[in-house]
Amino acid sequence: TTKIEQMRFHLIQSGSFKMGKEGYKKDVTLTHVIEAMSTPVTQNMWVAEMGANPSHFNEPHQGDYPVENMTWWSVLVYANALSERHKLPQVYDLSGITFVDMRLPYEQRVEISDAKTIFGLAAIGVLGTKLHDYTGPKINAPNGNIYEAVGYRLPTEAEQEYLLRGAGTVNSKYHFGDNDAELGDYAWFNDNSGDTTHPVAEKKPLDIHGQSFFDLLGNVSVWAFDGFSYDLKGGVNPVVNAEGTLRVQRGGGFRSLIDAFTSEDRCQNSASQGFKEVGFRLVRTYR
């Protein structure tokens, strides 16, 4: 029996906030209530759905550790599988994507279209694409609007920062305030992690509307849905589905230095690569 036995989702009300760094902030309004996971997805949660464990840190006692080391594309397959099990429409239409096995040398990566093989590669975290000019998957929602999708999905970058800012109520350096000395109370990072991930929900949470969200900072950085753009997109329900391979990550990981944990800090990596410092948490538009 594990400490985190099942996914826990908490409601986050919609609202407006200022996104990004001082001097470059964008006004953002999110109009949809979402359910957001209280922790990153753990190894036990991943294995229960996928039947394999891609994590770098994957000893038998580490089931409550965050799952990591899987590509962004592998995460989309996981989210679709979870939606299907809960009898919800899958968010991501992955048809038309040229999938490959990222373990192979580039010249040996042949197109894979068999659904079973695609799932198997996603389960071990190595599902990727050979193309470098894709625009991402189609979204199964009216007009392709990810905020209108029904199933489980990655948060948009705007939703991630909204959560990091306490549903838009916190404007301090970190979600807990401005004191660098307190970071270790909330996050596993370079100074205290021992160069490894840790079980989720061991550090102090961020409380929003009386609900606890753990590991918003540290342990593992988390994938967003958005493609990376240097210019943040503001407005109502923004999302950047940019061409190219780079996807946004937020929150900092166990090897990150202290300057990676501010509420506006962001980085990016290839959607077709997995990293032992990167995991994810899911959201769902509430209806």
Side-chain angles (χ1 to χ4, degrees):
T1 302
T2 59
K3 182 177 62 177
I4 305 296
E5 294 181 339
Q6 61 185 10
M7 291 186 177
R8 292 182 174 86
F9 284 82
H10 297 318
L11 286 179
I12 300 294
Q13 299 299 319
S14 57
S16 299
F17 72 110
K18 291 187 180 296
M19 180 177 176
K21 295 182 178 181
E22 286 297 331
Y24 301 92
K25 288 186 178 295
K26 298 291 180 69
D27 290 318
V28 170
T29 297
L30 298 175
T31 61
H32 292 75
V33 176
I34 61 171
E35 294 180 310
M37 282 190 66
S38 61
T39 71
V41 172
T42 66
Q43 294 177 30
N44 281 337
M45 293 171 188
W46 178 278
V47 172
E49 214 61 53
M50 306 296 282
N53 190 349
S55 301
H56 176 81
F57 303 102
N58 63 357
E59 296 297 324
H61 68 280
Q62 293 177 320
D64 286 331
Y65 286 51
V67 67
E68 26 80 8
N69 204 35
M70 67 281 136
T71 67
W72 181 86
W73 290 106
S74 299
V75 172
L76 303 196
V77 174
Y78 173 88
N80 276 352
L82 190 67
S83 294
E84 184 175 18
R85 181 161 65 83
H86 287 273
K87 297 180 171 55
L88 297 170
Q90 295 182 350
V91 173
Y92 305 108
D93 179 356
L94 301 178
S95 62
I97 306 295
T98 306
F99 285 121
V100 297
D101 183 343
M102 293 302 295
R103 295 172 298 179
L104 299 175
Y106 183 83
E107 63 277 3
Q108 296 179 23
R109 295 175 188 170
V110 297
E111 180 178 352
I112 297 168
S113 57
D114 175 68
K116 185 176 181 180
T117 303
I118 289 171
F119 186 90
L121 292 175
I124 59 175
V126 297
L127 184 67
T129 178
K130 194 172 184 178
L131 300 179
H132 294 280
D133 59 350
Y134 62 80
T135 57
K138 297 176 183 177
I139 301 299
N140 291 320
N143 299 314
N145 182 355
I146 195 167
Y147 292 95
E148 294 287 340
V150 176
Y152 294 103
R153 59 180 175 83
L154 283 173
T156 65
E157 186 176 17
E159 288 171 328
Q160 283 187 329
E161 186 163 334
Y162 187 65
L163 188 57
L164 284 168
R165 293 191 182 278
T169 64
V170 178
N171 292 310
S172 52
K173 184 176 181 179
Y174 309 105
H175 66 59
F176 55 82
D178 295 312
N179 187 356
D180 293 349
E182 293 182 36
L183 180 61
D185 295 335
Y186 293 87
W188 295 108
F189 68 115
N190 183 68
D191 285 3
N192 67 359
S193 71
D195 202 33
T196 183
T197 57
H198 291 263
V200 300
E202 285 197 337
K203 293 292 187 177
K204 288 183 179 179
L206 168 64
D207 286 322
I208 304 174
H209 310 312
Q211 304 169 120
S212 295
F213 292 87
F214 296 90
D215 299 277
L216 286 172
L217 299 177
N219 216 353
V220 286
S221 179
V222 290
W223 287 111
F225 174 73
D226 296 56
F228 181 79
S229 172
Y230 285 101
D231 185 27
L232 286 174
K233 188 175 181 180
V236 178
N237 300 330
V239 60
V240 177
N241 195 10
E243 295 184 4
T245 63
L246 297 180
R247 294 281 157 171
V248 173
Q249 295 163 358
R250 289 278 193 142
F254 69 90
R255 302 181 77 180
S256 299
L257 301 176
I258 194 169
D259 58 0
F261 295 95
T262 59
S263 297
E264 70 271 9
D265 190 77
R266 55 204 294 265
C267 63
Q268 77 285 338
N269 270 307
S270 168
S272 293
Q273 289 183 272
F275 307 88
K276 62 184 178 182
E277 300 92 349
V278 182
F280 68 103
R281 79 174 68 216
L282 296 177
V283 301
R284 190 171 78 87
T285 300
Y286 180 72
R287 299 184 185 281

